[in-house]
Amino acid sequence: MRLVATVGNSPLPVWLAIRTLEPSHVTAVVSEESVDRWRAVDDLLSSRGDPSERSMLPCMADAEDPAAIRRFLSDQSPPEADLGIVGGTNAMVVQTFAWWSANPANAQRTAWYCDAVSGELVPVVGAAQTPARRVQMSSGMTFEELCSLHEEGLTMGPGRLARARDVNRWVSSGAIPPGDADTVHGLRARVMTACKAAAPTARLEHSRQLLSGNQLTMDSDVLAQVEHRLVVIGCCDSGSISDVTYCLAATAEKARRLGGDFAHAFVVSTQHARALHLEQARWQLPWQTPASVFGVDQLHMLGQAVTSALGV
């Protein structure tokens, strides 16, 4: 089958649609702002040896003006293909759908969108196509591939923190020295233990550097990853609302940069839940990344949240 895919600022849904539907040919609809995102997808598919033929329409200059998009698309012939509504502005999606629908042959084809909550490709309700089933998305991505898709050249380096080995030892032994139990290092060990119990198939990392070339671009407290789903967990050794909110915002930004639309951000404080103003921390978060705050006495709830976010 052939696929026409709208491409916006998030490359992950585009990658997922192609990997899941396995089209023989992909035509990307891109804007000047999103063409680099498409190139990241194309490069990763090439490195994987994906057999699909891939091309893109000329870049549209204005992805916000419906009339300009309509004029741009009128110069192209819509192919007979499925449609992946997997990125782009609202105007870009609406006009591309109308352009695609103008080909009578596409009445028998399927238009799909990417549902980040269910992890499925879902047929568009009301589209003039034969009924289609939901398709569970699968990517087979490594953490390095997930990062490279969102931030070119980003790699994982060694642990930066001197006490990373202590954390590993505490996780292995199941015992944290009393003097370290309430430190951020002890909290990392407790978070790692909770994540290992809740999601034993996940890749777990802690206290790692993330490098762009040889330059440190960010470090991490705890990362949990299964294919294209990523959870970034920040460990906060404070209970003040300003500190927790700052940690949550920083963790959410890391999650967005590393994992895109499917990433989640959680923060665990060394304080108990009753001492935290959790709803205030949530509402003050400036990012759209799904995020929550947990007290140190809520690690079982953190485990449940990680399991749900990773789809395991």
Side-chain angles (χ1 to χ4, degrees):
M1 56 89 79
R2 297 172 66 92
L3 179 70
V4 173
T6 59
V7 182
N9 289 326
S10 179
L12 183 55
V14 183
W15 162 269
L16 289 170
I18 295 171
R19 292 289 296 175
T20 302
L21 297 175
E22 298 182 332
S24 59
H25 188 279
V26 181
T27 300
V29 180
V30 301
S31 67
E32 291 180 352
E33 291 184 352
S34 66
V35 63
D36 287 343
R37 297 301 192 181
W38 165 246
R39 288 173 179 150
V41 173
D42 189 31
D43 288 347
L44 186 53
L45 289 167
S46 295
S47 71
R48 280 289 197 95
D50 186 277
S52 63
E53 296 181 25
R54 297 180 293 278
S55 62
M56 68 179 188
L57 299 182
C59 293
M60 61 178 70
D62 189 343
E64 299 287 350
D65 183 352
I69 298 170
R70 188 161 53 248
R71 288 192 299 270
F72 168 83
L73 290 173
S74 67
D75 293 334
Q76 321 294 326
S77 297
E80 180 181 353
D82 280 16
L83 175 64
I85 301 173
V86 286
T89 64
N90 290 338
M92 185 176 172
V93 166
V94 170
Q95 295 304 319
T96 301
F97 182 80
W99 169 77
W100 171 82
S101 301
N103 184 340
N106 287 334
Q108 303 303 313
R109 310 296 301 195
T110 302
W112 305 89
Y113 75 90
C114 186
D115 186 341
V117 176
S118 69
E120 296 173 319
L121 283 174
V122 182
V124 174
V125 176
Q129 83 276 332
T130 55
R133 61 184 175 85
R134 289 171 171 250
V135 178
Q136 187 69 36
M137 289 180 288
S138 177
S139 65
M141 298 187 89
T142 65
F143 176 79
E144 290 73 16
E145 288 174 332
L146 182 62
C147 289
S148 70
L149 196 61
H150 294 96
E151 193 150 333
E152 184 178 2
L154 196 66
T155 59
M156 182 177 288
R160 185 170 73 103
L161 302 176
R163 301 196 63 183
R165 291 182 180 178
D166 290 338
V167 174
N168 290 334
R169 187 173 67 253
W170 298 339
V171 172
S172 297
S173 67
I176 303 173
D180 291 299
D182 293 328
T183 67
V184 71
H185 311 294
L187 185 58
R188 283 195 185 102
R190 297 171 76 170
V191 168
M192 285 287 293
T193 300
C195 289
K196 286 182 68 174
T201 61
R203 175 177 176 175
L204 297 174
E205 301 281 355
H206 72 88
S207 311
R208 298 294 296 271
Q209 293 175 318
L210 294 163
L211 309 174
S212 182
N214 293 321
Q215 299 298 314
L216 176 66
T217 184
M218 67 180 89
D219 55 17
S220 67
D221 285 338
V222 177
L223 302 171
Q225 178 242 342
V226 174
E227 293 199 356
H228 54 276
R229 295 180 179 273
L230 177 71
V231 175
V232 181
I233 304 172
C235 297
C236 182
D237 57 356
S238 170
S240 77
I241 189 64
S242 60
D243 290 344
V244 170
T245 301
Y246 176 82
C247 184
L248 186 58
T251 302
E253 171 64 1
K254 292 176 187 178
R256 184 188 63 81
R257 287 177 61 185
L258 296 174
D261 289 355
F262 286 74
H264 285 67
F266 301 137
V267 163
V268 182
S269 169
T270 52
Q271 301 298 310
H272 282 230
R274 64 178 178 271
L276 300 171
H277 300 285
L278 300 185
E279 290 302 325
Q280 289 185 49
R282 289 192 185 97
W283 284 113
Q284 290 181 25
L285 180 68
W287 311 109
Q288 295 181 354
T289 302
S292 295
V293 178
F294 299 89
V296 71
D297 56 329
Q298 295 179 312
L299 292 176
H300 64 291
M301 295 175 60
L302 172 69
Q304 294 169 355
V306 169
T307 299
S308 176
L310 296 178
V312 296

